[in-house]
Amino acid sequence: RSGVPLRSGLVGLRDGARNVGLREALRQVLQDIEGGTSFSAAFARHPTVFPRFYVRLLQVAEAAGELSLLLGQVAQLLERQHALKQRVRSALVYPAITLVIAIVSLFVLVTYSLPALVGLISGFGGKLPLTTRLLMQGAEFLRAYGVYSMGLALALGAGGVALRRTKRGSRVWNRALLRVPIVGKTVLLSNIVTLMSTLGTLLRSGVPPVESLRLAGQEAGHSIVREAVERVVAEVSAGGRLSQAFAEAALFPPMVAQALRSGETTGTLPQEVEGLTEYYGKELERAVAGAVEMITPVMTLLVAGFVGFVAVAVLSGIYSTLGSIR
């Protein structure tokens, strides 16, 4: 848009890229373009760096001669999606830090403070109360089998990750994730926002609706959502209406089909999709805020309960010692 030649712009981006993979991809893109390859074809050779919808938009831009305009639209889309992810991550930072601090504090209490107290009680001939004995048995178990327990947990985690990478394992995991209260709603809303924002950008750029939906569905991070979009694409390709196909897909809220039906009737489908993006983006922010409000008190209660148990064990041990001194 500023009039900088394409090659000069790519050279500047390549030299300024901090990510090694991106810098190498831009180097090869620049080399391909200098060899006579088209702009979109050069980017298409790096699908792990540049998504398919991005390459398709470049093809449209080349055909229409509006490269700077469509690149600006892609930039806005990616910035919006990135900002949404950052807000979700920022909302989860406080509960995560609270949990880590609580675990570290309890580890220090059980590992160092409690053994010293038990030694003091035993030295005075006091009898350990039940709560202190239970806590000490737990601490002894961790000291004796902590490494094995951690190894078992890591092995189970690695096995779960490997199983999740299989097609069947991923489907089972994602379907179960959608059924988890609060979490399932947040995951679904996040995928709807990604789907609609990508779809709106593609439609506004002139990409046909069926192809736009297919490319947007590939950007969904949830396999169940991708499968639902694939069924919608198959139905629309067979001659069905887009709104009716979404209505028959029970995964999506009814408002999606209603907005698409309005867009099909009035010829304002891109605008309706953008409206859905804004609406469900706000819904996602509210869902994340509600989830954090639910998680924080639950974590507080769990931590308080465990700390309270440790406090009772310590105080009861101290009182037992005082009783033995008398």
Side-chain angles (χ1 to χ4, degrees):
R1 197 164 52 230
S2 62
V4 176
L6 183 61
R7 183 186 182 283
S8 300
L10 287 174
V11 169
L13 291 173
R14 179 201 61 191
D15 296 340
R18 296 182 180 181
N19 184 277
V20 177
L22 178 59
R23 185 164 58 247
E24 176 61 21
L26 289 175
R27 185 192 67 79
Q28 295 180 19
V29 165
L30 185 60
Q31 181 178 336
D32 292 339
I33 291 177
E34 291 174 342
T37 305
S38 67
F39 192 62
S40 58
F43 276 82
R45 294 179 180 179
H46 306 278
T48 58
V49 180
F50 306 105
R52 295 181 181 179
F53 84 91
Y54 185 95
V55 176
R56 185 66 180 94
L57 286 173
L58 293 182
Q59 294 173 349
V60 174
E62 288 176 329
E66 298 179 348
L67 187 59
S68 61
L69 176 62
L70 289 183
L71 284 175
Q73 293 178 1
V74 173
Q76 292 176 1
L77 169 64
L78 297 178
E79 287 173 357
R80 185 164 60 241
Q81 293 179 350
H82 177 71
L84 184 61
K85 291 178 182 179
Q86 288 297 108
R87 285 196 292 270
V88 173
R89 291 172 183 172
S90 299
L92 299 178
V93 166
Y94 176 75
I97 292 178
T98 303
L99 180 61
V100 171
I101 293 176
I103 291 175
V104 171
S105 301
L106 292 174
F107 177 78
V108 172
L109 282 173
V110 172
T111 306
Y112 297 100
S113 302
L114 194 61
L117 175 65
V118 171
L120 177 65
I121 295 174
S122 302
F124 281 101
K127 183 179 179 181
L128 295 176
L130 177 62
T131 54
T132 308
R133 292 200 305 270
L134 290 175
L135 195 59
M136 282 306 303
Q137 289 176 0
E140 289 294 334
F141 176 83
L142 290 178
R143 278 196 292 268
Y145 303 102
V147 176
Y148 304 103
S149 300
M150 185 176 296
L152 179 61
L154 291 175
L156 291 175
V161 171
L163 181 62
R164 186 184 170 187
R165 289 182 177 177
T166 63
K167 186 175 182 180
R168 184 174 182 179
S170 175
R171 179 178 297 180
V172 171
W173 166 261
N174 288 327
R175 193 175 297 278
L177 190 63
L178 288 177
R179 295 177 180 175
V180 177
I182 301 176
V183 175
K185 179 181 179 182
T186 304
V187 171
L188 180 59
L189 287 174
S190 176
N191 279 267
I192 290 177
V193 172
T194 301
L195 175 66
M196 291 300 161
S197 60
T198 308
L199 178 61
T201 300
L202 290 163
L203 289 173
R204 191 170 64 249
S205 302
V207 181
V210 175
E211 184 181 1
S212 297
L213 184 59
R214 178 177 58 80
L215 292 171
Q218 294 173 355
E219 296 303 309
H222 201 279
S223 61
I224 303 299
V225 176
R226 287 198 301 271
E227 291 175 2
V229 174
E230 289 173 0
R231 290 193 295 270
V232 171
V233 170
E235 185 172 341
V236 175
S237 300
R241 293 174 60 88
L242 184 63
S243 57
Q244 183 62 30
F246 268 94
E248 294 175 357
L251 183 65
F252 300 101
M255 184 176 293
V256 174
Q258 294 171 5
L260 295 178
R261 186 178 298 111
S262 175
E264 289 175 328
T265 303
T266 60
T268 57
L269 189 59
Q271 291 82 350
E272 292 293 339
V273 172
E274 290 176 359
L276 287 172
T277 301
E278 295 180 5
Y279 174 77
Y280 283 110
K282 295 177 181 178
E283 284 292 303
L284 176 60
E285 292 180 5
R286 284 192 285 266
V288 172
V292 172
E293 290 178 358
M294 289 288 294
I295 292 172
T296 301
V298 170
M299 288 178 53
T300 302
L301 289 174
L302 291 175
V303 172
F306 198 69
V307 171
F309 179 78
V310 174
V312 169
V314 171
L315 291 176
S316 59
I318 293 176
Y319 284 124
S320 175
T321 303
L322 294 175
S324 64
I325 292 176
R326 290 198 301 270

